[in-house]
Amino acid sequence: MRKNLGANPYVYPQPVLIVATYGEDGTPDAMNVAYGGIVNSNRIQINIGARHKTSDNIKAKQAFTVGIADEKNLEAADYVGIVSGHDEPDKIRKSGFHLIKSEFVDAPVIEDLPICLECRVEEINQYNATLRIVAEIVNVSADESILDGNGNINPARLKAISYDPANKTYLKVGGKAGNAFSDGNRLK
């Protein structure tokens, strides 16, 4: 038997995305973005409130980076989601994140997060108080500690976290469940 839960954002697992930007004056900012994901092979979409400092920065610079939050950086990832860059100019220092400038876009890379997507804005649409931003992924960098012997991302080493919107918690992403584009062949 199923129970209706209404119109809610219950997609699991939901990645914890840390969007980093520079302001017009070069000041770095980052925020935890709950709603976003891959649109196609080289595009990402994020949805954020129009009133955020990050929104202002994305409009000004037309670029941002997306770090994938992990267990090790859970507190800092949560902090940048609950503190506004409009209210706390020293937000990045207080988070403990270490930043370097992207080689590909005018935005910072958070060195502490093991994966970073470097993005160039293609489209910004505003719906009421929310911005829907679509961007081209121009580069992905990964810390070598999460790569396997073939240079591929090893999810067990990544230790990404997921946001649980129903219970307002962060979850650990589990291990391998099967083989994509393969296991379904058994049903042919």
Side-chain angles (χ1 to χ4, degrees), residues 19-159:
V19 174
T21 59
Y22 286 128
E24 290 186 89
D25 64 354
T27 302
D29 187 46
M31 74 175 283
N32 184 322
V33 174
Y35 305 119
I38 298 300
V39 177
N40 63 25
S41 62
N42 67 338
R43 303 279 183 289
I44 189 168
Q45 175 178 307
I46 59 172
N47 298 304
I48 60 177
R51 63 177 171 69
H52 291 291
K53 178 73 173 152
T54 300
S55 300
D56 297 341
N57 293 350
I58 289 172
K59 288 178 190 176
K61 295 290 189 169
Q62 296 292 299
F64 59 92
T65 62
V66 177
I68 306 300
D70 61 350
E71 287 183 64
K72 179 180 172 185
N73 293 288
L74 187 149
E75 286 182 1
D78 192 54
Y79 173 79
V80 297
I82 58 178
V83 174
S84 171
H86 285 304
D87 299 330
E88 178 52 71
D90 213 14
K91 179 178 174 178
I92 295 299
R93 186 190 64 74
K94 287 184 175 184
S95 75
F97 281 143
H98 302 93
L99 307 179
I100 59 171
K101 184 170 179 3
S102 165
E103 295 177 41
F104 299 90
V105 298
D106 192 8
V109 171
I110 300 174
E111 289 187 293
D112 310 84
L113 300 178
I115 297 177
C116 180
L117 288 72
E118 298 164 72
C119 305
R120 185 176 302 116
V121 173
E122 291 186 335
E123 178 182 330
I124 299 176
N125 294 299
Q126 186 162 346
Y127 301 95
N128 298 319
T130 301
L131 297 181
R132 180 180 65 88
I133 302 164
V134 177
E136 175 188 13
I137 301 165
V138 297
N139 185 56
V140 176
S141 63
D143 189 281
E144 290 181 4
S145 68
I146 67 162
L147 301 179
D148 65 17
N150 297 319
N152 296 317
I153 294 169
N154 179 330
R157 292 181 185 168
L158 173 60
K159 298 185 179 183

Side-chain angles (χ1 to χ4, degrees), residues 175-186:
K176 181 178 174 180
N179 298 297
F181 308 107
S182 176
D183 289 353
N185 287 324
R186 292 191 290 257

